[in-house]
Amino acid sequence: MSELIKSVLKCDEKSDLRQFASELRSSEKRYLLRNDIERAFAEYCEEHQKPSYFYHSSYLGKLLYYTQEMILEDESICMIVRPKIASQEVYRIDEDLTVEPMTVQDLLDLRDRFVDRHHPSEGDVLELDFQPFYDYSPTIRDPKNIGKGVQFLNRYLSSKLFQDPRQWLEMLFEFLSLHSYNGLQLLINERIKNRRELSERVKEAIGFVSQRPDDDPFDNFRFDLQEIGFEPGWGNTAVRVRETLEILDELIDSPDDAVLESFISRIPMIFRVVLISVHGWFGQEGVLGRPDTGGQVVYVLDQARSLEKRLQQEFHDQGLDVLGVHPKVIILSRSIPEAEGTRCDERLEKVRGTDNGWILRVPFREFNPHVTQKWISRFEIWPYLETFVIDAETELLAEFKGKPDLIIGNYSDGNLVAFLMARRLNVTQCNIAHALEKSKYLFSNLYWQDLENQYHFSLQFTADLIAMNAANFVISSTYQEIVGTPDSIGQYESYACFTMPDLYHVVNGIELFSPKFNVVPPGVNEAVYFPYKRKEDRIPANAERLEEMLFTLDDPSQIYGNLDDPKKRPIFSMARLDRIKNLTGLAECFGQSPELQERCNLILIAGKLRTEDSTDSEEIAEIEKLYHIIDQYELQGKVRWLGVRLPKADSGEIYRVIADRKGVFVQPALFEAFGLTILEAMISGLPTFATQFGGPLEIIQDRVNGFYINPTNLEETADKILKFVSKCDEHPHYWEEISERAMERVYSAYTWKIHTTRLLSLAKIYGFWNYTSKENREDLLRYLEALFYLIFKPRAQGLLQAHYQR
């Protein structure tokens, strides 16, 4: 990138750079983000009548395209340039066009000065740097392989381990000897005494099972194999046992990373799984639409069901039925004593659709009952998590009758709990962020002190740093969640380098090229969300009831607005009312387009109708804003706003009812980490318009099976929807074409079976490598504990003291 700057300075464009910088200084804005830079340069090109190529193809245009931020000082400009994914360079350009590179520390000091919180003395700001802990771990080189961590780790560590056959066989023998369930030995027993005997006995066992019929049940020859040295876990039939032993035989004689992954995926390693989702109203009914609930609750419940189902299938295939082995999956959440008619105050609740899946709710300790008896916002939950871990550990050990084999954290608070619990129990930890708030709120770290009373970002961002570095592996729904796109920064990437003035500087917050990152998108509950064409699976009475509710029912208690013409094509959206979900932005988009109003109705399902029914400040503000927009654009008769909480079965049928009327689904979020509602709409057959900011970029293929929108550009969004509606009117089959492709897209890539098969495979392989590589993570974990006890905990105690005053 320094070459591109040199190219600008060596040609006539250096005068344009000087002029552009001068004009930027004349404006009031001193800190420009990428959108600001693009807009300002476009205005510069227009005002100075530059040729059309100049904006995109000139050296200066290319340099500004790669520039993510510009900070204007009195006599210089700081340019933060991102020449490629997961890479950042910083330069200071003085008025005389002298260019010098800046260090990360220089940049963080400059950002501090920008908010007037810079301390002139040196060494007075805590610097956090996690890079040394990754120096001795393998790292991915090519950015396009980020998110494929397990494949890289497998190849790297296999090549190292396989170089010493003696050590490799010793490790493999020890690893196979470890496995047991409730005191019952699995895989191999004491009759196989060492690595040499392992190789010999494997060949003997292959010869034995090869003589039996392929479908001969394992129970028929279980004790014969036991005499040779093999316990249950190899398979449920002769052919399955033979296949697994042949893979092991190949692994012993000619080890290969692909064969290793195939073998590890087949053996029983995981029996008890805990999914942690602490904040919000966690339940199976009456919670969706409440603050801090939504996609995450649906995700975790569906994941729990799918995990149990997948483990049951694995245990059957592995021949563990003879031992009566059954998986157990527990969702750990908090108990909310004032449950407002929900079941969130019940200690134990069976997960519907499972044999042994449970929601275990553990109460927060009662510090101030006016606070702890009620729901606590995800932004204020932090003081209660450490004691929650201590209490929940006792409950979990009792329910499992032992330790879990895998801990999966969800969201920032759940991931911090996962770290503390995995540390106490020495269990494999998996993190799933769902959304990292730092990316959703611009300048949230820079102005954290101004936002602290409302959002407590100092606690959240510190918790994120601890959990993401502690995790054995991290699951993201998309590639861009980790490192963004060529022109946007990823959620995890935003933690690589940032300042929280007066608190600390993060010089290197996370190794983006670490093999701990894996992209494993979620699926859709296919029992609830399925194509509108499957009439045989739909209940006509439910469809009729929901159709009436959506379009004609007069019920002021839960519905605002009556439609002048209910037969118009519906534009539908469903989300909670908060600023990021941006339903008010969609309403304003609709209000600004008389053409859309003429041809369509807007149907919104969005939380509550009245401010007095909410205790969430952001939701209250959005309710007031939505009423204002409806009045401002005179949308009465054109908009229906349903303040209802739907049972899951109804939420699936709602999409299909909209599809019956050839409607469209719009997801207008300002940022969306993934977008489960997008999958739900697409699998139902609804043509879907979704935000271009975040995960939808990897779900939808634009104009093939859906459409991208820029929710900040209301005119462009309205125009895209209008063009689609017009094309559908001109070509009646066009709606069906997009509908069919949307359904195909989900079934090919976004099912829970694909997700959980991959998740369990990852958990086993990372567990295997943690054992065999003897990776010493103690130094990293001690560093993280210091961060927890010296930064996080005192601030959490401060928040707790504030809660005492309520």
Side-chain angles (χ1 to χ4, degrees):
M1 187 51 61
S2 59
E3 294 303 314
L4 192 51
I5 294 177
K6 289 177 184 176
S7 298
V8 172
L9 298 179
K10 285 180 181 177
C11 69
D12 295 340
E13 292 176 22
K14 66 182 178 183
S15 59
D16 287 295
L17 175 58
R18 182 181 284 114
Q19 180 69 26
F20 180 58
S22 176
E23 292 182 12
L24 286 178
R25 284 200 188 86
S26 66
S27 66
E28 293 183 2
K29 206 159 193 175
R30 313 299 289 174
Y31 201 127
L32 288 81
L33 300 179
R34 192 171 185 277
N35 283 342
D36 303 318
I37 298 166
E38 286 185 333
R39 192 180 306 113
F41 188 55
E43 291 171 358
Y44 173 85
C45 292
E46 183 178 354
E47 183 178 336
H48 293 273
Q49 299 180 338
K50 293 294 180 182
S52 57
Y53 78 88
F54 193 81
Y55 178 81
H56 293 290
S57 304
S58 65
Y59 289 126
L60 180 57
K62 291 177 181 177
L63 174 62
L64 294 176
Y65 172 81
Y66 290 112
T67 302
Q68 292 292 322
E69 301 174 23
M70 294 177 73
I71 305 174
L72 308 182
E73 297 186 276
D74 292 337
E75 298 178 353
S76 64
I77 291 180
C78 170
M79 298 179 70
I80 296 97
V81 182
R82 188 172 177 261
K84 57 185 178 181
I85 282 175
S87 175
Q88 176 180 285
E89 300 170 7
V90 189
Y91 300 96
R92 174 180 279 116
I93 303 179
D94 295 326
E95 284 186 318
D96 63 358
L97 299 186
T98 302
V99 179
E100 62 174 341
M102 294 174 63
T103 66
V104 170
Q105 286 83 353
D106 291 338
L107 172 62
L108 298 180
D109 285 340
L110 173 58
R111 285 172 171 162
D112 283 356
R113 285 199 302 275
F114 183 81
V115 294
D116 198 27
R117 293 191 175 107
H118 176 67
H119 298 286
S121 59
E122 295 182 1
D124 59 345
V125 180
L126 173 65
E127 280 193 357
L128 303 179
D129 186 358
F130 291 92
Q131 185 57 51
F133 301 107
Y134 292 95
D135 282 347
Y136 301 102
S137 300
T139 52
I140 293 167
R141 294 181 181 176
D142 191 335
K144 73 173 182 289
N145 291 325
I146 291 173
K148 302 175 183 176
V150 74
Q151 293 97 313
F152 172 83
L153 184 71
N154 233 7
R155 288 193 299 271
Y156 176 85
L157 294 178
S158 296
S159 64
K160 289 190 68 175
L161 197 53
F162 295 161
Q163 288 174 5
D164 186 342
R166 182 187 177 114
Q167 180 196 14
W168 157 239
L169 282 180
E170 195 64 44
M171 286 283 192
L172 187 58
F173 170 73
E174 291 175 4
F175 182 72
L176 293 176
S177 304
L178 286 175
H179 292 84
S180 64
Y181 173 80
N182 284 353
L184 298 171
Q185 184 64 32
L186 302 177
L187 297 180
I188 64 174
N189 58 39
E190 70 283 351
R191 290 182 176 87
I192 301 177
K193 296 181 175 56
N194 52 52
R195 55 186 171 81
R196 288 189 302 277
E197 285 193 8
L198 175 65
S199 179
E200 295 167 1
R201 297 294 179 88
V202 166
K203 288 178 169 52
E204 182 182 346
I206 290 172
F208 169 76
V209 293
S210 296
Q211 297 172 15
R212 307 188 73 88
D214 285 354
D215 59 355
D216 194 10
F218 170 72
D219 207 25
N220 288 352
F221 54 89
R222 169 186 173 186
F223 297 108
D224 297 302
L225 275 185
Q226 194 176 62
E227 287 296 320
I228 303 175
F230 295 93
E231 297 291 339
W234 299 98
N236 61 331
T237 63
V239 67
R240 176 82 183 189
V241 171
R242 188 182 74 238
E243 288 172 355
T244 308
L245 288 170
E246 284 175 344
I247 294 171
L248 175 58
D249 189 44
E250 184 178 356
L251 201 55
I252 292 170
D253 291 342
S254 51
D256 172 84
D257 60 278
V259 177
L260 175 63
E261 182 170 353
S262 175
F263 176 70
I264 296 296
S265 297
R266 275 181 170 243
I267 64 175
M269 291 175 61
I270 296 171
F271 306 93
R272 309 175 186 93
V273 181
V274 56
L275 310 174
I276 301 175
S277 181
V278 184
H279 72 267
W281 301 81
F282 200 98
Q284 300 181 81
E285 57 188 20
V287 298
L288 296 184
R290 290 180 182 268
D292 287 354
T293 63
Q296 182 184 327
V297 173
V298 174
Y299 181 110
V300 175
L301 283 169
D302 287 346
Q303 188 184 58
R305 294 187 187 97
S306 186
L307 273 170
E308 189 205 43
K309 188 175 181 180
R310 182 61 198 165
L311 284 169
Q312 286 173 336
Q313 184 63 52
E314 284 193 0
F315 292 174
H316 173 73
D317 293 343
Q318 290 157 351
L320 298 183
D321 293 349
V322 299
L323 299 179
V325 174
H326 302 288
K328 188 165 189 174
V329 178
I330 290 178
I331 300 168
L332 175 65
S333 191
R334 69 160 293 214
S335 173
I336 305 175
E338 295 187 15
E340 299 182 11
T342 71
R343 299 180 66 180
C344 293
D345 57 341
E346 294 184 13
R347 177 183 177 274
L348 208 57
E349 181 184 350
K350 181 87 171 289
V351 176
R352 294 169 193 158
T354 68
D355 294 325
N356 205 11
W358 303 87
I359 301 170
L360 173 64
R361 300 186 184 93
V362 177
F364 286 161
R365 292 188 186 176
E366 194 174 275
F367 293 94
N368 175 359
H370 295 298
V371 177
T372 50
Q373 292 285 309
K374 298 178 171 65
W375 161 79
I376 300 173
S377 162
R378 70 184 189 273
F379 295 116
E380 300 208 344
I381 202 170
W382 309 106
Y384 309 100
L385 297 183
E386 185 181 13
T387 51
F388 175 80
V389 168
I390 295 168
D391 298 339
E393 178 187 357
T394 303
E395 300 278 350
L396 276 175
L397 292 175
E399 287 298 322
F400 279 134
K401 295 182 175 58
K403 293 196 306 183
D405 304 298
L406 174 64
I407 296 175
I408 302 175
N410 290 273
Y411 199 73
S412 299
D413 53 322
N415 286 329
L416 184 68
V417 169
F419 157 69
L420 294 171
M421 191 163 286
R423 181 71 167 138
R424 293 170 68 90
L425 298 176
N426 191 27
V427 174
T428 300
Q429 174 194 350
C430 167
N431 278 12
I432 304 176
H434 295 283
L436 292 163
E437 302 286 351
K438 187 171 175 295
S439 303
K440 292 163 64 175
Y441 294 84
L442 286 179
F443 297 123
S444 51
N445 60 287
L446 205 56
Y447 295 103
W448 70 273
Q449 287 165 308
D450 300 332
L451 301 168
E452 190 72 354
N453 286 340
Q454 182 177 3
Y455 293 115
H456 306 285
F457 285 140
S458 67
L459 287 159
Q460 177 139 9
F461 299 165
T462 304
D464 287 335
L465 284 171
I466 292 171
M468 67 177 63
N469 282 286
N472 296 104
F473 67 104
V474 175
I475 281 180
S476 71
S477 298
T478 60
Y479 173 86
Q480 65 81 34
E481 186 180 329
I482 308 169
V483 286
T485 65
D487 54 8
S488 67
I489 291 175
Q491 291 184 62
Y492 284 97
E493 187 179 359
S494 73
Y495 283 77
C497 165
F498 67 95
T499 175
M500 301 195 78
D502 289 340
L503 187 62
Y504 53 64
H505 284 176
V506 178
V507 175
N508 195 310
I510 184 68
E511 175 54 75
L512 298 168
F513 290 82
S514 167
K516 72 166 59 182
F517 287 107
N518 294 273
V519 176
V520 186
V524 184
N525 185 335
E526 296 172 52
V528 175
Y529 304 100
F530 55 84
Y532 75 103
K533 289 183 174 182
R534 277 170 42 187
K535 302 288 187 183
E536 68 278 7
D537 294 323
R538 298 176 63 180
I539 301 172
N542 286 348
E544 291 170 11
R545 172 177 55 84
L546 293 172
E547 184 172 32
E548 181 186 12
M549 184 180 75
L550 283 169
F551 300 107
T552 59
L553 181 66
D554 187 9
D555 182 0
S557 68
Q558 59 179 351
I559 301 171
Y560 176 83
N562 292 309
L563 300 175
D564 292 339
D565 182 1
K567 294 184 179 179
K568 286 182 183 177
R569 190 187 300 269
I571 297 172
F572 175 61
S573 193
M574 179 164 56
R576 65 179 183 270
L577 271 173
D578 66 24
R579 187 180 68 83
I580 298 298
K581 292 300 182 184
N582 194 38
L583 288 185
T584 52
L586 175 59
E588 189 160 14
C589 169
F590 185 73
Q592 290 182 7
S593 175
E595 295 89 348
L596 270 184
Q597 295 170 40
E598 183 181 340
R599 303 172 72 171
C600 302
N601 290 317
L602 179 62
I603 314 290
L604 302 176
I605 296 183
K608 299 179 175 68
L609 295 180
R610 284 169 284 277
T611 55
E612 58 267 25
D613 293 335
S614 177
T615 57
D616 184 82
S617 59
E618 205 165 89
E619 184 178 44
I620 290 169
E622 289 296 295
I623 290 172
E624 292 172 344
K625 185 177 179 181
L626 189 49
Y627 278 120
H628 174 73
I629 289 168
I630 291 171
D631 290 339
Q632 178 185 356
Y633 294 102
E634 299 178 352
L635 296 178
Q636 290 81 1
K638 303 166 186 176
V639 169
R640 291 266 285 182
W641 170 8
L642 286 70
V644 295
R645 294 195 186 106
L646 297 172
K648 182 176 281 191
D650 280 359
S651 70
E653 186 62 24
I654 283 280
Y655 291 113
R656 294 187 287 272
V657 169
I658 298 291
D660 290 335
R661 295 195 174 207
K662 299 295 185 282
V664 300
F665 179 77
V666 182
Q667 206 273 28
L670 299 175
F671 177 84
E672 183 59 65
F674 182 65
L676 271 177
T677 56
I678 295 168
L679 294 184
E680 293 165 2
M682 290 174 70
I683 200 172
S684 303
L686 273 178
T688 297
F689 294 76
T691 179
Q692 67 186 40
F693 301 122
L697 283 177
E698 292 180 40
I699 299 174
I700 288 174
Q701 295 156 318
D702 193 31
R703 292 174 293 176
V704 175
N705 46 41
F707 304 87
Y708 300 147
I709 58 170
N710 179 347
T712 65
N713 190 327
L714 303 185
E715 184 180 349
E716 180 187 272
T717 297
D719 185 56
K720 284 189 175 182
I721 299 172
L722 198 58
K723 282 181 178 176
F724 173 78
V725 170
S726 298
K727 192 167 181 180
C728 289
D729 291 342
E730 295 166 9
H731 305 283
H733 295 299
Y734 184 59
W735 188 94
E736 280 86 358
E737 288 175 14
I738 298 297
S739 173
E740 287 291 338
R741 291 180 201 151
M743 292 184 283
E744 290 169 8
R745 174 65 174 160
V746 178
Y747 279 120
S748 67
Y750 297 100
T751 69
W752 279 111
K753 182 177 180 181
I754 296 171
H755 173 94
T756 47
T757 299
R758 191 65 185 143
L759 171 59
L760 289 172
S761 176
L762 290 172
K764 292 178 183 182
I765 292 165
Y766 279 96
F768 172 76
W769 283 121
N770 285 340
Y771 172 77
T772 55
S773 64
K774 307 294 184 187
E775 182 184 3
N776 184 7
R777 302 174 72 240
E778 190 62 24
D779 50 354
L780 169 61
L781 294 172
R782 288 292 185 186
Y783 188 77
L784 295 172
E785 283 182 336
L787 191 55
F788 176 82
Y789 288 109
L790 299 178
I791 301 291
F792 178 91
K793 190 169 180 177
R795 300 198 66 82
Q797 289 296 321
L799 179 55
L800 182 62
Q801 292 305 311
H803 283 186
Y804 272 121
Q805 308 307 313
R806 292 188 180 177

